[in-house]
Every structure is written in structure tokens, then in C-alpha cells.
Amino acid sequence: MSVEQIFEGQTVLITGAAGGFGKSASALFAERGANLVLSDYNADGLAALAASLEKDGHKVTTLAGSVAEEDHCRETVELAMERFGRLDVAINNAGIGHDAAKTAQIDSKQAHMTVQVDLMGVFYGMKYQIREMEKAHGQDGRICSILNVASLAGLSGAPTLGMYAAAKFGVVGLTKSAAIEYARRGIRINAICPAFARTPMVEDGLLAAGGGTKEAEDFLTRGIPMRRLAEPEEITRSMLWICDPRNTFMTGQAVALDGGTSAQ
Ligand SMILES: NC(=O)c1ccc[n+]([C@@H]2O[C@H](COP(=O)([O-])OP(=O)(O)OC[C@H]3O[C@@H](n4cnc5c(N)ncnc54)[C@H](O)[C@@H]3O)[C@@H](O)[C@H]2O)c1
């Protein structure tokens, strides 16, 4: 069965593309007709992903670098314009965590880096994405979409992940503020707030720190009513409907994708 080409002719920019959500999102958007601008700190992972998407006939351009650098974020937007002449969707997904520790024990360098990547990286991205999207709306009335990947830790406290939570709360605050600012300027701006998902961030981080066993996974998911991790595609499929050009009235939302956790 053919997949509906809902992003045909559109350019979708994804940061953190070589990671768990990023790879999955890249494949889903490409299958639906999008031209992709992919960025990641991991240059080898990014090149491998691009090669595999191109082998399947998708149009992809990449830029390796860190979202913690404003220049890199500006250059990804410039690349979208140079290569594809437009930017329709931006998914600010790149993110890192810090070692689990109570607030008084969090390493200050890690705290700083977490804020720089998870919050400043989203701000730098949005700054340049919004400028192009606003221009495009002025020219042809197009409605563009920005989706920021926050976390359930951006909606409620996350013991031992305090500075990660602080950065993700910041992402939600920025998302809602900008959504109001640009609501009549042709840009929808939303965030998703996933609970733990089976990606390298969790498997190599929190699960590995707990010994990587079934018991460690049970412990991690004990507060989730579904009592399991999300699979990456359960999160990235939601990206599709949030960014779907037909989803025209949704903006300023921070959508929990959490197996029922925030309903408790
Ligand atoms: N996996 C989860 O359980 C979970 C839950 C809630 C939110 N999130 C968020 O989802 C997003 C994606 O995480 P993931 O689970 O796919 O993790 P991941 O570690 O698999 O992927 C993250 C990607 O971001 C890249 N990256 C890291 N620092 C970067 C930087 N400075 N500049 C550019 N790229 C950088 C990494 O190289 C990696 O490819 C993150 O923002 C994370 O905080 C994840």
C-alpha cells in the first residue's frame, strides 16, 4: 500500500537526526515525500543515515555540527534554502542528558552543557527557522510548523535529572511564547513531551547505569501506567500528525506522549 505523500515538495529540517527519534523521524517524513535537511553532532552516523535514505531515492542534505553553536543552527536553515529553496517544517530534536544525580551533586559543567544543547540549541534553531518561515508566509501565505522535542521532564519534576528538566521546562516555555507571537504569522509551534523511549539515550544511559537488565527496565517504567518503554516510532508517528499541513489549528501545545503517566 502506498503511503500518503503529505509532505510532498516540502522541506523538513531535523536536528539530532542520527539518534533514536531522529533516524525514525527522518525515515517517516522521507517516506511521505519530504526533502530532508539533517543535522547531528555525530558526523559518521549522519553520513550513514543520509546514504541509506538516498539509496531509497529520497532527497537529503546534511550538515554535521552542534546545535549548541548558533552559527551551526543558522547554517542548517541556509542549507535548506540553498538546496531546496524552502523550509516548511523544523523538528528541534537534538538533546542530551546529564549523569543522574540529586541537585547538589550535579556536575556544573554537565549542567551547563545540558542547558546549552537542550535549551539554547532549540532557541538558536527557532530564531533562524522562524525568520525564513515568516518570510515565506508573507510571500505565499504558507503555514509552516516547528516541533520542539521537550520531555515529560519538561512538564513535571524529574528527580536526579534536575538540570535536564530545567532545560526541557525552558523548551516548553519558549514553545508556548513563540506560538503566541507567530500565531498570525503563519507558523504553528508545538512541543512533544515523551516519557522514556527505547533509544540510545535511554539504553546507553539510564538503563545501562541500572545494569541494563529487565529489572532495570522495570524500575525505570514503574511510574508509567503502560509499564513499558515507548518504541521510537510511537513517538515519531506523533510528529507526523502534529506537523501535518492539515493540522491547521493546533499551536502552542506541549503534548505528553507518556503511556498515561501525566494522567495520574
Ligand atoms: N529517549 C527518551 O526516552 C526521551 C524522552 C523524552 C525526551 N527525549 C528527547 O528526545 C530527543 C532525542 O533523543 P533520543 O532519545 O533520540 O536520543 P539519542 O541519544 O538517541 O539521539 C540524540 C541525537 O542528538 C545528537 N546530539 C547530541 N548533542 C548534539 C549537539 N550538541 N548538536 C547536535 N546533535 C547532537 C546525538 O548525536 C544523537 O544522534 C532529545 O531531545 C531527548 O532529550 C528523549
Side-chain angles (χ1 to χ4, degrees), residues 15-22 39-42 65-68 72 92-96 117-118 149-152 164 168 193-202:
T15 71
F21 292 162
S39 108
D40 202 289
Y41 194 59
N42 170 359
S66 172
V67 295
H72 171 73
N92 294 307
N93 164 72
I96 55 169
V117 174
D118 292 4
V149 180
S151 170
L152 196 55
Y164 178 76
K168 296 296 190 181
C193 298
F196 296 122
R198 198 180 299 284
T199 69
M201 175 181 267
V202 165

Side-chain angles (χ1 to χ4, degrees), residues 110-221:
Q110 286 190 18
H112 182 81
M113 186 50 84
T114 302
V115 172
Q116 195 60 29
V117 174
D118 292 4
L119 178 54
M120 293 306 289
V122 172
F123 163 64
Y124 293 146
M126 287 176 72
K127 185 168 166 178
Y128 296 96
Q129 295 153 8
I130 285 171
R131 291 178 186 186
E132 277 310 329
M133 290 176 173
E134 196 177 15
K135 218 187 298 169
H137 180 68
Q139 283 164 356
D140 61 20
R142 194 185 323 159
I143 306 291
C144 298
S145 173
I146 294 176
L147 177 58
N148 297 325
V149 180
S151 170
L152 196 55
L155 296 176
S156 53
T160 74
L161 292 174
M163 285 306 292
Y164 178 76
K168 296 296 190 181
F169 265 77
V171 170
V172 171
L174 184 59
T175 300
K176 288 177 181 274
S177 304
I180 299 165
E181 290 166 355
Y182 296 96
R184 285 180 294 150
R185 307 292 306 162
I187 313 172
R188 299 188 305 105
I189 306 175
N190 295 286
I192 54 168
C193 298
F196 296 122
R198 198 180 299 284
T199 69
M201 175 181 267
V202 165
E203 292 196 302
D204 303 344
L206 296 171
L207 272 182
T213 58
K214 167 89 173 62
E215 288 68 39
E217 189 164 326
D218 289 347
F219 184 73
L220 204 59
T221 56

